[in-house]
Amino acid sequence: MFLKFSLRSVFNGAGGGNDIQWCFSQVKGAVDDDVAEDIISTVEFNHSGELLATGDKGGRVVIFQQEQENKIQSHSRGEYNVYSTFQSHEPEFDYLKSLEIEEKINKIRWLPQKNAAQFLLSTNDKTIKLWKISERDKRPEGYNLKEEDGRYRDPTTVTTLRVPVFRPMDLMVEASPRRIFANAHTYHINSISINSDYETYLSADDLRINLWHLEITDRSFNIVDIKPANMEELTEVITAAEFHPNSCNTFVYSSSKGTIRLCDMRASALCDRHSKLFEEPEDPSNRSFFSEIISSISDVKFSHSGRYMMTRDYLSVKIWDLNMENRPVETYQVHEYLRSKLCSLYENDCIFDKFECCWNGSDSVVMTGSYNNFFRMFDRNTKRDITLEASRENNKPRTVLKPRKVCASGKRKKDEISVDSLDFNKKILHTAWHPKENIIAVATTNNLYIFQDKVN
Amino acid sequence: MLGKGGKRKFDEHEDGLEGKIVSPSDGPSKVSYTLQRQTIFNISLMKLYNHRPLTEPSLQKTVLINNMLRRIQEELKQEGSLRPGSPAASIEELCPTSTSTEARGASGGAGAGAQRPEGPQDGRADDPKLMDSLPGNFEITTSTGFLTDLTLDDILFADIDTSMYDFDPCTSASGTASKMAPVSADDLLKTLAPYSSQPVAPSQPFKMDLTELDHIMEVLVGS
């Protein structure tokens, strides 16, 4: 199937972040910005890339499906159209604390496909749910005992026997909750990650990480607990966690102090002692009041190969080799021009924004979001980077996106944007890269943009 | 609140306030460093108290802000840059030594709450909500340590003299700088002493449990 794609597909390796010309493909969502419930809170491709799921602040999940390539019109990859929409979580009330539990979907993770149905895990702050999404394109017709509308016939009028047959019907996609994993997290869940054994998964909140079996909902195992005996001694929280893509006993978790711990579940039942601790010593020339806050890691993602992991902190993206704990092997500055604005960003809370990051299919390019609806890509091979904007202004399909540049200080060149003009309300926190192709999904506040590389 | 492309009034102050941190030891830049530190301290306090969402506030954010406050307090403690008497006196004035006879001892209460033994967490289907009411407490107990009743008053009663904690960083260029005398941890301790039946050791400054806080709130709001 891959042979049909252009030579600039990812497997060729030549498709670096800057050899590619990114084009607008689609935008989903309302034009006006005001509906809070529509704020996209997570974006995730499934393992084949055919399905793209988004979760929003209102607890809904919307799944898009890529239409199969039209052989005649091979100028673009298939478009993504709505496949299924369902309400995953509802708001709840915690009576003990007199606080609402938000229905906002924090994360979605797909299970690999085993049969005709698709499965995904979605989570809010407290409860994880396993959803089954299945298609129905046939229905039984010709019941013996029922009328077509479902009413039962008077048995005395039944004189012949006939067996219902399946006849085609319009495709219906149904989502049903198959498991609900509740009451295991006192604090807010920030991550879920499915193990490579495809039988277990972990869920992480601010202070604890639990291990679940997908079939069992009334029990989970606590594998990390960093809650101090005296809560007043709490100075560090867990910010993200992920299983290793190949090694089913290994996982990592990141902290608000900029450290990443790799744990091996074979070592002990409670993995409070890490196998490896990844931490870069602080650069003394960059010290400020905000050093700790900007070192807090907002996302951690293993490379597909499993050899590297990537972390995102407020100003940079770092690539770590799992064999080297004392410093990252690569560091990319996302928006260094914000370093002199940290006090304002602390005041308006932007410094606490949690940006995610992602790898492309071949682990050669990484991507993350920024402000002003900008997002950035870093090519690890060529060491070049590019800044693009997700905006409805460039919304003609196959329009090549123009690179953006922020002018940090001094004379602003034409087409550059000065730091003071950046809109900090327009933040791109969630991005996803198709596992095999050069198709990316970028979420602005309440719109989802899909970009593709230029074909032909 | 967020600038949508327009210049924000904080910009003017920013250049003096942002940028590389200056060493606290050199002369004139020590003032700017102290100013910067005080502003950040004030902003941090405001963040913990102005924010009363319907949903639980982010523990990560609370922890980071608390760490910031602690760090600044440590610095202040080490510098010992306190004018003895005056800040503590104003605090005493605003918060009369009303008794809290029903309140339990500070360290006793918080200690018991925090050290409730927790078994292994298999089978957490039984209610972890009861097991741990501390997330809410954490926000209140640790941050009330920094808060003190003084800042509660800032928010609740506008007519009380709040010049010592002037929150507007834009006007703090020169004139009010002298009023923003940093309050040392020791002074804060003295204000808490009337509210606990046990002496509060300097090494465990801010143990105030929920019941005491409720009582204090009652006193402040009821009067």
Side-chain angles (χ1 to χ4, degrees):
Chain A
M1 185 175 168
F2 306 126
L3 296 175
K4 287 187 198 162
F5 294 171
S6 81
L7 282 175
R8 265 181 283 156
S9 77
V10 169
F11 281 127
N12 194 13
N18 303 298
D19 297 332
I20 296 182
Q21 288 189 292
W22 288 100
C23 304
F24 175 86
S25 174
Q26 296 171 273
V27 60
K28 308 282 190 191
V31 178
D32 62 81
D33 282 334
D34 286 348
V35 183
E37 277 64 42
D38 288 347
I39 294 174
I40 297 171
S41 49
T42 185
V43 181
E44 187 82 355
F45 280 100
N46 75 337
H47 291 253
S48 67
E50 184 203 354
L51 299 176
L52 174 62
T54 61
D56 67 22
K57 193 159 185 272
R60 269 174 321 191
V61 170
V62 180
I63 301 177
F64 301 92
Q65 183 188 42
Q66 188 180 28
E67 55 181 44
Q68 293 315 299
E69 256 192 293
N70 187 333
K71 289 185 182 129
I72 301 163
Q73 288 185 308
S74 58
H75 52 66
S76 69
R77 309 237 167 71
E79 275 201 346
Y80 283 85
N81 299 314
V82 177
Y83 177 67
S84 173
T85 304
F86 57 94
Q87 187 73 32
S88 171
H89 287 70
E90 298 277 1
E92 288 171 46
F93 197 77
D94 180 341
Y95 291 96
L96 195 68
K97 297 179 198 164
S98 276
L99 291 169
E100 273 184 23
I101 298 172
E102 270 195 291
E103 68 275 32
K104 171 168 73 83
I105 308 296
N106 292 336
K107 284 280 155 44
I108 288 173
R109 289 289 182 263
W110 290 92
L111 265 75
Q113 192 173 11
K114 282 192 290 195
N115 52 38
Q118 300 279 355
F119 289 86
L120 61 78
L121 284 176
S122 71
T123 186
N124 69 348
D125 284 338
K126 298 287 188 179
T127 304
I128 306 133
K129 296 187 184 182
L130 176 69
W131 286 89
K132 176 179 179 182
I133 297 109
S134 46
E135 292 183 3
R136 192 196 290 264
D137 60 358
K138 296 183 266 293
R139 68 157 175 245
E141 283 178 21
Y143 280 92
N144 206 40
L145 302 173
K146 283 198 283 195
E147 304 285 0
E148 287 306 316
D149 62 6
R151 279 180 305 146
Y152 278 92
R153 292 166 67 188
D154 179 356
T156 57
T157 64
V158 176
T159 54
T160 59
L161 177 72
R162 67 176 176 166
V163 177
V165 291
F166 276 95
R167 296 214 191 281
M169 59 178 260
D170 288 340
L171 179 67
M172 218 168 71
V173 181
E174 300 171 320
S176 59
R178 306 304 283 179
R179 305 270 186 278
I180 297 183
F181 305 91
N183 297 326
H185 285 281
T186 310
Y187 305 98
H188 290 180
I189 297 173
N190 51 55
S191 313
I192 46 175
S193 176
I194 299 173
N195 203 349
S196 49
D197 64 10
Y198 302 141
E199 287 185 351
T200 57
Y201 75 94
L202 63 74
S203 58
D205 66 33
D206 295 311
L207 298 180
R208 298 189 178 105
I209 302 179
N210 293 332
L211 179 71
W212 302 83
H213 192 286
L214 284 164
E215 300 289 329
I216 299 170
T217 59
D218 63 354
R219 201 181 328 145
S220 71
F221 291 97
N222 177 242
I223 51 178
V224 173
D225 188 338
I226 64 168
K227 180 172 178 286
N230 182 352
M231 277 293 273
E232 289 172 16
E233 288 164 12
L234 180 66
T235 57
E236 188 175 12
V237 299
I238 297 170
T239 53
E242 192 174 65
F243 264 119
H244 190 276
N246 307 320
S247 175
C248 61
N249 48 272
T250 306
F251 66 93
V252 292
Y253 68 93
S254 59
S255 83
S256 55
K257 285 194 173 167
T259 64
I260 309 101
R261 287 172 172 79
L262 184 139
C263 300
D264 186 330
M265 295 194 293
R266 295 170 300 189
S268 72
L270 188 63
C271 300
D272 275 355
R273 296 173 60 136
H274 51 264
S275 302
K276 294 193 186 186
L277 173 67
F278 298 83
E279 186 174 15
E280 184 174 26
E282 194 185 358
D283 176 4
S285 65
N286 269 337
R287 276 204 67 213
S288 78
F289 285 108
F290 306 102
S291 292
E292 188 195 17
I293 297 182
I294 62 170
S295 76
S296 177
I297 291 171
S298 51
D299 195 15
V300 64
K301 293 262 169 53
F302 278 105
S303 63
H304 293 90
S305 63
R307 191 173 150 205
Y308 298 99
M309 66 178 173
M310 164 167 55
T311 57
R312 175 69 155 99
D313 51 69
Y314 190 62
L315 297 179
S316 68
V317 160
K318 294 180 181 172
I319 313 275
W320 303 79
D321 184 321
L322 292 189
N323 296 318
M324 186 157 69
E325 296 169 61
N326 59 354
R327 60 177 181 81
V329 289
E330 294 154 40
T331 301
Y332 301 102
Q333 300 303 331
V334 181
H335 36 218
E336 180 70 11
Y337 46 78
L338 295 182
R339 193 180 289 274
S340 58
K341 309 285 178 196
L342 292 178
C343 195
S344 317
L345 295 165
Y346 180 61
E347 196 194 10
N348 65 20
D349 274 357
C350 281
I351 209 175
F352 299 106
D353 285 336
K354 296 195 193 156
F355 292 95
E356 292 172 9
C357 53
C358 61
W359 299 83
N360 73 342
S362 62
D363 297 337
S364 59
V365 185
V366 297
M367 170 168 66
T368 190
S370 177
Y371 294 104
N372 213 65
N373 282 346
F374 288 171
F375 58 100
R376 304 259 286 135
M377 290 183 189
F378 303 94
D379 189 320
R380 299 177 62 213
N381 299 325
T382 65
K383 300 300 182 199
R384 291 204 302 255
D385 61 84
I386 191 169
T387 305
L388 299 171
E389 182 179 359
S391 142
R392 281 180 182 268
E393 282 170 21
N394 311 317
N395 64 355
K396 289 208 193 74
R398 296 188 295 285
T399 310
V400 176
L401 297 180
K402 201 173 83 163
R404 296 304 204 186
K405 191 141 167 51
V406 176
C407 166
S409 59
K411 277 193 78 162
R412 188 176 73 86
K413 299 196 190 94
K414 181 176 179 292
D415 282 351
E416 282 186 358
I417 299 186
S418 80
V419 184
D420 297 318
S421 311
L422 294 175
D423 187 339
F424 289 92
N425 277 326
K426 294 187 180 171
K427 46 193 95 174
I428 290 179
L429 304 174
H430 312 287
T431 57
W433 204 309
H434 190 292
K436 300 176 168 66
E437 298 173 32
N438 281 335
I439 301 176
I440 55 176
V442 171
T444 58
T445 306
N446 55 1
N447 282 320
L448 181 73
Y449 287 79
I450 298 174
F451 301 105
Q452 305 182 359
D453 66 343
K454 194 174 171 67
V455 183
N456 294 338
Chain B
M1 179 169 103
L2 292 174
K4 284 200 180 206
K7 266 196 103 97
R8 296 165 57 243
K9 67 173 180 175
F10 195 61
D11 280 0
E12 298 150 12
H13 192 58
E14 243 175 78
D15 292 343
L17 201 59
E18 316 260 23
K20 290 278 165 61
I21 198 173
V22 293
S23 156
S25 56
D26 29 331
S29 50
K30 180 172 173 35
V31 175
S32 136
Y33 176 85
T34 313
L35 194 63
Q36 186 179 14
R37 180 174 63 192
Q38 188 67 51
T39 305
I40 293 170
F41 188 84
N42 294 345
I43 292 172
S44 304
L45 280 178
M46 260 174 68
K47 280 190 182 306
L48 290 179
Y49 286 94
N50 278 352
H51 190 52
R52 277 285 173 252
L54 296 166
T55 56
E56 210 165 344
S58 155
L59 185 64
Q60 180 194 356
K61 196 167 145 190
T62 308
V63 166
L64 289 170
I65 298 171
N66 271 321
N67 289 352
M68 176 79 88
L69 288 168
R70 277 192 188 134
R71 225 175 296 126
I72 294 178
Q73 285 220 319
E74 271 308 306
E75 266 188 34
L76 294 175
K77 217 182 193 170
Q78 281 167 9
E79 287 174 12
S81 60
L82 132 94
R83 274 181 294 146
S86 94
S90 345
I91 292 169
E92 295 281 73
E93 210 180 290
L94 289 161
C95 310
T97 321
S98 65
T99 57
S100 57
T101 49
E102 64 232 2
R104 290 172 285 150
S107 39
Q115 283 151 27
R116 197 180 323 154
E118 295 181 35
Q121 302 196 6
D122 322 56
R124 284 193 68 99
D126 58 13
D127 203 348
K129 286 187 267 188
L130 289 176
M131 204 161 145
D132 206 332
S133 58
L134 282 170
N137 276 4
F138 171 74
E139 188 206 358
I140 293 167
T141 51
T142 48
S143 51
T144 34
F146 303 106
L147 171 68
T148 78
D149 317 274
L150 173 65
T151 317
L152 261 179
D153 288 342
D154 283 338
I155 293 153
L156 297 173
F157 304 107
D159 51 22
I160 290 175
D161 176 27
T162 58
S163 58
M164 188 168 36
Y165 279 87
D166 191 333
F167 285 138
D168 185 356
C170 299
T171 62
S172 59
S174 51
T176 50
S178 56
K179 291 190 202 167
M180 291 198 287
V183 177
S184 80
D186 292 327
D187 283 312
L188 297 174
L189 274 184
K190 287 181 200 160
T191 71
L192 294 176
Y195 296 101
S196 63
S197 49
Q198 290 179 14
V200 180
S203 60
Q204 301 172 321
F206 306 118
K207 293 193 183 198
M208 218 160 121
D209 77 351
L210 211 43
T211 324
E212 282 187 293
L213 180 65
D214 278 346
H215 182 77
I216 291 163
M217 285 298 300
E218 246 181 292
V219 167
L220 291 170
V221 175
S223 59

